[in-house]
Amino acid sequence: MSSPNAPDRFNEEKSTFTVRGSDAPDLEAGVAAIRNVLATLPARPGVYRMQDARGDVLYVGKARALKNRVTNYTQVDRLPKRLQRMVAQTRSMTIVTTNNEAEALLLEAQLIKRYRPAYNVLLRDDKSFPFILLRADHDFPRIQKHRGARRAKGNYYGPFASAGSVNNTLNALQKLFLLRSCTDGFFKNRDRPCLLYQIKRCSAPCVGRIDAAGYDELVTDAKSFLAGKSTQVQTKLGGQMQAAAEAMDFELAAILRDRLRALTFIQGTQAINAEGLGDADIFALACKNGVMGIQAFFIRGGQNWGHRSFFPAHTNDVPEDEVLSSFLTQFYEEVPPPRTIFVDRELAEAPLLGEALGAAAGFKVTLSMPQRGTRRRLLDQAKRNAEEALDRRLAESTTQAKLLREVADLFDLGEPPDRIEIYDNSHIQGTNALGAMVVAGPEGFRKGQYRKFNIKNPDTEPGDDFAMMREVFGRRFARAQAEDPDRDAGDWPDLVLIDGGRGQLNAVKGVMEELGIEDVCLVGVSKGPDRHAGREVFHMLDGREFQLPVNAPVLFYLQRLRDEAHRFAIGAHRAKRAKAIGASPLDEVPGIGPARKKALLMHFGTGRAVRNASLQDLQQAPGVSSAVAQQVYDFYHSR
């Protein structure tokens, strides 16, 4: 589907109508704002956005006839309480017209993903799906795992439900088809086979152990297998093994035997009873105690490529079929749809959704609810898994809620915290220093909201942990005050945990006092005697210090939060250090691009030699003009 940043193809005609007034929710003011929009609203397909007094998007909706759909919001007595609250907050609307309702559905999914409105059902998942990519930009194509935008030329197979499932499949595919997994640079510079050839996971095309024709045959077999023609590949390998044995070429027969075993492994771990199913996704929804969970199965070529559970947000008082429809539109915003989608209930918008997905994918997409046979059994299996996953989710939520109540009691909070921020610093003898923030809430860690802070203050002494904390908190909360002074966006923490003792806590306290922030609970967590886990000391702003029993569940929870901050800080520091190792002094010179930097390094050998070179020497470097040479010379000698 199209990028959420490119809605141009919908022939937009935008109009914004605003009623100014009090920022407080007011049902009459909201209805008045909507009626002002109705005065000039066309009866055409399109998408509407409802916005509050600050311009934040409350809801994104689509309609076959905008005027008819938006009129419904003025009849407040017929609206559920949830939508009445939304209307009361509405102060303006933005209208986008489209050519048809299918385009409106696609645009609605894009805008929901971009704005994440408070009254829309939201697909709450911050992980992209992994694919297997068989590249087509090299004479000897590479097979690899891929996430993110699909810009590379080649064949993409997926989605897989998890990195584990794609890694297992990729390992087996390497044993089965002996395709290379190395980078092009590594491939180009080999003069003898690598270890993967020795353990029979690569055919070593880099050193000519297989010719182009033989490798192309392996690629063709891999494409056939990934397209669901595993029986055809199995028959071919079996015939080749038999022929090799009859020719007394037992070494080749053994290699083919191992490849057949790899094929059997993949079939054994992925095959399900899905004869004739081809490519399909299966979705089933379960609902208990007001919480909804959706189970997705991914079938490609009759093979199970994994399953994943989803728990959409903002589903209170929303009909189940509407939740599933909204989930599907957002799910396929980034994931390419198969030709067949099975759902466990009738969806009023199934034909429209199929039309929209098909238009984006370039082929016909059908949504259906099987009633009997193999397909129905698969749907029942997905339904059972959805219910079991929801039961686990509810059990975990109950435990999590109890832990958060204990955290509130422990730190004298008025209610269980909805947002906990944990901070840690990382450096090696003061170098590549940075601070890290992780965020947790009732649903667990919110990895999409993690942040890292490069230490930029030149006055900070290397290794000064207190100064680093002051800089991190100064930047974090000064920005929070500027961007969300009313604390309406949910980005202010209810509890802040600091990896450190009384010194770090006092440093942070001073920063918060300078900013005029006195109502955020700050707690320092130090390792305790001998830095033993379980003997942590908690430092409070009022001077109290205490420890918890070593077997207390709330202690385990707080340790897990602290350890996650430490893991994130260490990982960010390592990435920064690795980047610094590959940096060049020439990176600092303004106006010097990669080509000229390479020319200078190739001519002089090192960055230090470039820095020490005379102007005449710089001018003699190939590919470097007199102006560039003067620029480099001035940069190093005018300071």
Side-chain angles (χ1 to χ4, degrees), residues 118-137:
Y119 289 92
N120 280 100
V121 175
L122 298 181
L123 168 56
R124 185 169 55 193
D125 188 73
D126 58 357
K127 297 179 180 178
S128 61
F129 286 88
F131 286 74
I132 286 178
L133 167 59
L134 185 56
R135 299 182 70 109
D137 53 2

Side-chain angles (χ1 to χ4, degrees), residues 118-416:
Y119 289 92
N120 280 100
V121 175
L122 298 181
L123 168 56
R124 185 169 55 193
D125 188 73
D126 58 357
K127 297 179 180 178
S128 61
F129 286 88
F131 286 74
I132 286 178
L133 167 59
L134 185 56
R135 299 182 70 109
D137 53 2
H138 196 279
D139 291 338
F140 296 95
R142 172 191 180 194
I143 191 168
Q144 65 183 92
K145 180 173 69 175
H146 177 83
R147 282 187 189 269
R150 295 184 296 159
R151 298 189 182 96
K153 183 179 179 182
N155 299 91
Y156 292 84
Y157 301 94
F160 287 81
S162 66
S165 60
V166 75
N167 286 338
N168 289 337
T169 303
L170 201 54
N171 287 336
L173 288 173
Q174 287 177 313
K175 295 178 183 178
L176 175 55
F177 298 111
L178 308 180
L179 300 181
R180 72 178 185 94
S181 58
C182 58
T183 64
D184 291 348
F186 186 86
F187 178 92
K188 182 179 179 181
N189 293 308
R190 296 301 298 177
D191 55 12
R192 57 192 178 91
C194 67
L195 180 62
L196 289 178
Y197 175 77
Q198 306 298 335
I199 62 175
K200 297 181 176 59
R201 289 196 178 188
C202 181
S203 53
C206 54
V207 292
R209 297 299 172 92
I210 186 172
D211 59 16
Y215 195 86
D216 285 343
E217 185 177 355
L218 294 178
V219 170
T220 300
D221 288 344
K223 289 180 178 178
S224 297
F225 176 82
L226 290 168
K229 302 175 182 177
S230 58
T231 303
Q232 175 181 320
V233 175
Q234 189 172 25
T235 302
K236 179 179 177 181
L237 286 176
Q240 290 176 344
M241 184 181 69
Q242 182 68 27
E246 291 176 354
M248 309 293 285
D249 190 348
F250 298 117
E251 183 176 357
L252 176 59
I255 293 174
L256 293 167
R257 178 202 62 201
D258 292 341
R259 292 177 61 189
L260 274 171
R261 286 177 177 173
L263 174 59
T264 304
F265 169 81
I266 298 176
Q267 291 173 326
T269 56
Q270 293 187 337
I272 61 174
N273 186 17
E275 293 86 356
L277 190 57
D279 296 346
D281 288 343
I282 303 169
F283 296 93
L285 183 145
C287 180
K288 291 184 181 179
N289 301 330
V291 180
M292 296 189 192
I294 297 173
Q295 187 76 17
F297 280 20
F298 308 114
I299 311 299
R300 296 296 182 270
Q303 300 170 2
N304 178 14
W305 283 3
H307 57 89
R308 186 185 288 188
S309 300
F310 300 88
F311 301 94
H314 306 167
T315 58
N316 291 339
D317 303 325
V318 182
E320 294 181 10
D321 61 335
E322 184 178 333
V323 170
L324 185 55
S325 293
S326 183
F327 167 86
L328 290 174
T329 59
Q330 295 176 55
F331 178 82
Y332 287 115
E333 174 61 24
E334 290 188 352
V335 177
R339 296 181 182 274
T340 304
I341 300 171
F342 295 136
V343 292
D344 67 336
R345 64 200 65 223
E346 295 289 348
L347 302 179
E349 292 191 334
L352 175 63
L353 183 56
E355 179 186 350
L357 295 178
F363 51 77
K364 184 178 180 180
V365 176
T366 303
L367 282 79
S368 64
M369 186 178 72
Q371 300 296 329
R372 62 184 66 85
T374 299
R375 300 180 177 189
R376 183 66 205 185
R377 287 194 295 272
L378 289 172
L379 197 58
D380 291 341
Q381 182 182 357
K383 181 73 173 179
R384 184 172 63 254
N385 277 266
E387 293 171 349
E388 293 171 353
L390 185 57
D391 287 340
R392 291 192 296 271
R393 175 80 169 194
L394 292 173
E396 292 170 358
S397 299
T398 301
T399 303
Q400 185 83 348
K402 181 180 178 182
L403 286 171
L404 291 176
R405 286 194 298 270
E406 292 184 15
V407 169
D409 294 339
L410 183 66
F411 299 125
D412 300 325
L413 303 177
E415 57 187 15

Side-chain angles (χ1 to χ4, degrees), residues 421-424 469 473 496-501 504-505 508-509 522-526:
E421 294 182 358
I422 312 97
Y423 292 82
D424 191 14
M469 279 292 181
F473 274 79
V496 171
L497 300 178
I498 303 160
D499 187 24
Q504 284 87 348
L505 181 63
V508 171
K509 177 183 177 183
L522 305 173
V523 179
V525 185
S526 61

Side-chain angles (χ1 to χ4, degrees), residues 81-142:
K81 294 295 183 184
R82 178 179 67 93
L83 296 184
Q84 288 183 11
R85 292 194 299 271
M86 179 188 72
V87 170
Q89 293 176 257
T90 299
R91 293 297 179 272
S92 65
M93 293 183 67
T94 298
I95 305 299
V96 182
T97 60
T98 60
N99 294 322
N100 52 58
E101 192 178 5
E103 289 185 352
L105 183 66
L106 296 178
L107 180 58
E108 178 193 38
Q110 294 178 17
L111 295 177
I112 290 173
K113 186 175 182 63
R114 181 191 301 178
Y115 294 111
R116 304 193 67 77
Y119 289 92
N120 280 100
V121 175
L122 298 181
L123 168 56
R124 185 169 55 193
D125 188 73
D126 58 357
K127 297 179 180 178
S128 61
F129 286 88
F131 286 74
I132 286 178
L133 167 59
L134 185 56
R135 299 182 70 109
D137 53 2
H138 196 279
D139 291 338
F140 296 95
R142 172 191 180 194

Side-chain angles (χ1 to χ4, degrees), residues 56-76:
D56 294 335
V57 178
L58 299 169
Y59 182 79
V60 175
K62 60 102 178 68
R64 179 184 305 156
L66 283 166
K67 191 176 187 69
N68 298 343
R69 182 71 182 90
V70 175
T71 298
N72 294 337
Y73 292 104
T74 64
Q75 302 169 359
V76 292

